[in-house]
Every structure is written in structure tokens, then in C-alpha cells.
Amino acid sequence: MTEPCIITVAITGSLPTKANNPAVPISVPEQVESTHAAFEAGASLVHCHVRNDDGTPSSDPEKFARLMEGVRRYCPGMIVQFSTGGRSGSGRERGGMLSLKPDMASLSTGSVNFPTRVYENSPDLVDWLAEEMLRHGVKPEIEAFDLSMIFKAVQMAEEGRIEGPLHVQFVMGVKNAMPADRESFAFFAATLKRLAPDATFTGAGIGRFQTTLVDWSLDAGGHCRT
Amino acid sequence: MTEPCIITVAITGSLPTKANNPAVPISVPEQVESTHAAFEAGASLVHCHVRNDDGTPSSDPEKFARLMEGVRRYCPGMIVQFSTGGRSGSGRERGGMLSLKPDMASLSTGSVNFPTRVYENSPDLVDWLAEEMLRHGVKPEIEAFDLSMIFKAVQMAEEGRIEGPLHVQFVMGVKNAMPADRESFAFFAATLKRLAPDATFTGAGIGRFQTTLVDWSLDAGGHCRT
Ligand SMILES: [Zn+2]
Ligand SMILES: [Zn+2]
Ligand SMILES: [Zn+2]
Ligand SMILES: [Zn+2]
């Protein structure tokens, strides 16, 4: 039996601003509106970042709370996933909103280079974010920017520090991290299957690689994210 | 025609102290003595870290200079490789000794988690270390702690920022980075061959994985390091 594909929408990343694209939703009401449009079009999961009024990344739990409340009201049944990504803070403030109990949250299980900086997820921070997710019943989406992060996630699941089955997103196309490479994508998928047969995965391509990764992911039996 | 295997000796890592093992060479004369013993036993390359008198990691160019002078005198023809590894400093001081023109130096082309911290090699630092090596005619040994670092090294070589042919060390068995996984080792070797057919490689296993990685490396046509 084939599993229905989960269509994810990332309404607001951590970087684009109104200056780049006036259509980028920044305020919480704009985000709720944009999520609702995607929901009507068939999206079943929303990946959420929040912003300050000036457009810079925020980790304010109050904003996450209002966004989740709006999505719950206007998009019944939609899966709400909070980002714990690095631009919203440098330490535990990145997980301060997990007690709001979203359905899911992103969790990077390692550190990697990004285009102009180190994306730091120290071992301590990874452990703490995972503990918070376990404590509040939040399912992690593992953001794997490289192969070792898959191994680390599987090990954490085996130790009971992440509740299974694992769901992993293979992120490719970020400069200085993993490029969009089809053989590597296939190896990531095969490795995850070997280490954790019940795990699911999806591919996320950055920028011009977005549709490429959707194709690879669907071909390999993964989910899609738009 | 098979290429002779290069036997590497890492006489002093960045961590072990006299308290762990009284035989660890710490002072420069001790390091020269230890290198000479390995040279007599057949080692052809020495990987060098230097230490302060109290055993803590150092990046003092003066110590590197005395160590290289001793090796050149007592171990004629031995390849001298300086470590630019992260424990010896946090920024450009890690490359302050490259102007001494050792034969080789280690170069990590990305960041990764280590057992208790982030091993930070920011994009700027990687670029600068590679520039210094190019400027002083020092051949890099790429330290690949994960797959993306292989891609990054190949890209830098294609852009002329690293002089080819590439030589890459696959490092496995570091907690929170890549575990010692044979399928991954084979994939690393195959990927390097696909991207840079003239590249050479070696495997380095940490701690109890040391001999395992030597085996895998020799089986796959790589070099060995003890
Ligand atoms: Zn995100
Ligand atoms: Zn699924
Ligand atoms: Zn070293
Ligand atoms: Zn060779």
C-alpha cells in the first residue's frame, strides 16, 4: 500500500525579506493568510519561522503561539512544524517555543558550514532540543545537512532520546554543505533504510534545486516539500 | 603498476597527555626522537602537532620550526606534515606556521561536531588556510570528517584554490562525526574517484577503529596511517 505524499509548505524562511520579495509574509496575520492559501491548495504541513517587525529572524514564543493558533483555527488538521534553525538565536532560545507543543519541530543533529558561516548545533544543544521535544511530545523532523547527521539521529533514536519512527529531511544545495548530488541522495536514502528500516524521509533542495530534490525524493519513495 | 603505500605516523595528537600515557612525546626533542624511531621502523610521513610545556595544544611557529629541523636532520626524506587542527587555536593562528613550508599540512574543508564541541572551520578560515598553502607550496591533506568536505575540496581544486592532485583522508570513529561504517567508507572512496579521478586517499580511524580503517583503506587502494 502506498502512503499518501505529505505536501509541506515553508511559508517564510529565515532569510528572505520584503525587500527581496514583497509577497513574503512577515507578520503573523500575513503568515496565517499565506498558510491558509497553501492549505486550500492541498498542503498538509506548514514549516514555521517567525520574524521581528523589521523582518529579522525571531525566536519569540509569543509569535509562534499566535501563528499556531491562527493555523489551528483556519487550517484544521494541518501539521504545524516549528523551526529550531540557527538564525533565530544562538543557543537554547532556539527551543524556547517547544513547550507550546507544535506537532513537529526541526532538529539538526550536527554542525556544518553554510555559505558564510558555521551552522552551529553543538552536541549539548542537540541533546537539549531533543529532550525538550521528547518532554513536550513534539515529533522531530531531522534536518540532515550531511551524512553523519543521519547516523547521529539513528543513534539518538536507538538510545530513546528521539521517539521513532524517525523522519529525516535530506537538505541539499546549500553552499559549503552538501551539494545536490543524485548519487549522494540515493546513498542517504539507502543508509537511512539500512540503519532504521521504519524511518521516512523527504528531500529539500535549496533555491534552484527545489524541484530537483522533490523529484528525487518522490522517485525514492520519500515525501515532497514545496 | 601499484603505488607504494605511504606509512604515516602521528607522533603526538592534540589531546593525549603524559597523564594518559607517560610515553607520549610532548617536548620537541621527545617528538624528534619518537619520529626517528618510527622512521627507522619504516614510516615515511610524520603528522605533527606541537604542545606547550604543560602539554596543552600549541600553534607556536617556533616549535614547529624546531620540530621540522630535527626531522629533516635525523629522518632524511621523510615527509613533514603540520596539523592545522582546531585545538591549537581558534582562527588564523592555526596557519601561522605554514610559511615554514612543510611538505604538507592538514586542511579540514568544513565544520562538524566533535565529542563535546563544534569543530569550527568557517568558510573564511578554510579559504585562508588554502591560500596560505598555495602561497607557500604546501600540499594539503584534506581531512574529510563527512561527505560534504570531499565535495568542497574537489570544488576548491577545480577552482584552482587547492593544487591537485587531491589527497584526502577519510576520518571515521569520532563521536558525533562520521562513525566507522564500511559502506560509507566505500561510498566516500567511490565519490572521490567519480569527482576527481586522479585523487588519492587514506583512511584514519580514531582510537579502537585505527586498524579497521587501515584495513579498509588498503583494500580500497588507499594509503595507511598508523
Ligand atoms: Zn526552516
Ligand atoms: Zn510518510
Ligand atoms: Zn592531527
Ligand atoms: Zn599515493
Side-chain angles (χ1 to χ4, degrees):
Chain A
M1 206 176 77
T2 55
E3 181 191 27
C5 178
I6 294 179
I7 299 182
T8 301
V9 58
I11 44 166
T12 312
S14 60
L15 276 179
T17 64
K18 293 272 189 202
N20 302 128
N21 176 357
V24 171
I26 296 295
S27 73
V28 169
E30 284 171 343
Q31 290 186 305
V32 172
E33 182 58 38
S34 172
T35 304
H36 183 243
F39 178 71
E40 299 268 283
S44 46
L45 187 156
V46 58
H47 174 79
C48 308
H49 292 253
V50 295
R51 300 292 189 92
N52 297 310
D53 294 341
D54 65 359
T56 55
S58 165
S59 57
D60 183 358
E62 201 270 328
K63 284 180 196 286
F64 275 110
R66 285 192 291 124
L67 175 55
M68 186 162 75
E69 189 190 317
V71 174
R72 294 254 189 270
R73 176 172 309 158
Y74 295 106
C75 315
M78 196 170 199
I79 300 166
V80 175
Q81 180 187 85
F82 287 171
S83 171
T84 63
R87 290 211 176 262
S88 59
S90 61
R92 294 191 174 189
E93 66 268 31
R94 286 166 47 187
M97 71 318 205
L98 293 170
S99 58
L100 296 170
K101 302 181 192 295
D103 303 294
M104 299 182 75
S106 59
L107 177 66
S108 282
T109 48
S111 301
V112 72
N113 275 1
F114 268 10
T116 60
R117 64 184 180 109
V118 181
Y119 180 35
E120 291 189 58
N121 295 288
S122 73
D124 276 353
L125 181 63
V126 172
D127 285 349
W128 181 79
L129 288 170
E131 274 166 33
E132 279 294 291
M133 293 184 200
L134 205 54
R135 181 174 300 129
H136 298 294
V138 180
K139 184 177 171 67
E141 173 173 88
I142 306 302
E143 310 288 332
F145 289 90
D146 208 338
L147 181 60
S148 65
M149 299 194 199
I150 297 171
F151 280 89
K152 177 70 181 175
V154 170
Q155 189 199 348
M156 291 176 76
E158 285 171 353
E159 293 169 355
R161 294 190 290 142
I162 292 177
E163 199 180 314
L166 281 179
H167 182 65
V168 183
Q169 176 155 269
F170 306 144
V171 188
M172 293 187 163
V174 178
K175 186 183 172 194
N176 294 328
M178 268 304 299
D181 178 65
R182 179 137 207 185
E183 279 90 339
S184 298
F185 188 92
F187 187 73
F188 282 15
T191 300
L192 181 63
K193 193 163 187 65
R194 166 166 63 95
L195 300 174
D198 63 345
T200 56
F201 67 91
T202 183
I206 303 306
R208 67 193 172 92
F209 299 106
Q210 193 171 321
T211 55
T212 308
L213 269 282
V214 169
D215 285 349
W216 294 352
S217 185
L218 292 177
D219 282 356
H223 295 176
C224 46
R225 170 176 177 160
T226 56
Chain B
M1 206 175 76
T2 54
E3 180 190 26
C5 177
I6 295 179
I7 298 182
T8 301
V9 59
I11 42 164
T12 312
S14 60
L15 274 180
T17 63
K18 292 273 189 199
N20 302 128
N21 178 354
V24 172
I26 297 295
S27 73
V28 168
E30 284 170 341
Q31 290 187 305
V32 171
E33 181 57 38
S34 172
T35 304
H36 183 242
F39 179 71
E40 300 269 283
S44 46
L45 187 155
V46 58
H47 173 80
C48 308
H49 291 253
V50 295
R51 301 291 189 94
N52 297 309
D53 294 339
D54 65 358
T56 56
S58 165
S59 56
D60 183 358
E62 200 270 330
K63 284 180 194 287
F64 276 110
R66 284 192 292 124
L67 176 54
M68 188 163 76
E69 190 191 317
V71 174
R72 294 252 188 273
R73 175 171 312 159
Y74 295 105
C75 315
M78 196 172 200
I79 301 166
V80 175
Q81 179 187 84
F82 286 172
S83 170
T84 64
R87 291 209 176 261
S88 59
S90 61
R92 293 192 175 188
E93 67 268 32
R94 286 167 46 187
M97 74 314 207
L98 293 170
S99 58
L100 295 170
K101 303 182 191 295
D103 303 294
M104 299 182 76
S106 59
L107 177 66
S108 282
T109 47
S111 301
V112 73
N113 275 2
F114 268 10
T116 61
R117 64 184 181 109
V118 181
Y119 180 35
E120 292 190 58
N121 295 288
S122 72
D124 277 355
L125 181 64
V126 172
D127 286 349
W128 180 78
L129 288 170
E131 276 166 33
E132 279 293 292
M133 293 184 201
L134 205 54
R135 180 174 301 130
H136 298 293
V138 179
K139 182 174 174 68
E141 171 172 88
I142 307 302
E143 309 287 334
F145 288 90
D146 208 338
L147 181 60
S148 65
M149 299 193 198
I150 297 171
F151 281 88
K152 178 70 182 177
V154 170
Q155 190 198 347
M156 292 177 75
E158 286 171 355
E159 292 168 357
R161 295 189 289 141
I162 292 177
E163 198 180 316
L166 280 179
H167 181 65
V168 183
Q169 175 155 271
F170 307 144
V171 188
M172 293 187 164
V174 178
K175 186 184 173 194
N176 294 327
M178 268 305 296
D181 177 66
R182 180 136 207 186
E183 281 90 338
S184 299
F185 189 92
F187 187 73
F188 282 15
T191 300
L192 182 64
K193 192 162 185 68
R194 166 166 64 94
L195 301 173
D198 62 346
T200 56
F201 68 90
T202 181
I206 302 306
R208 66 192 172 93
F209 299 106
Q210 192 172 318
T211 55
T212 308
L213 269 282
V214 168
D215 285 348
W216 295 352
S217 184
L218 292 176
D219 281 357
H223 295 179
C224 46
R225 171 176 175 158
T226 56

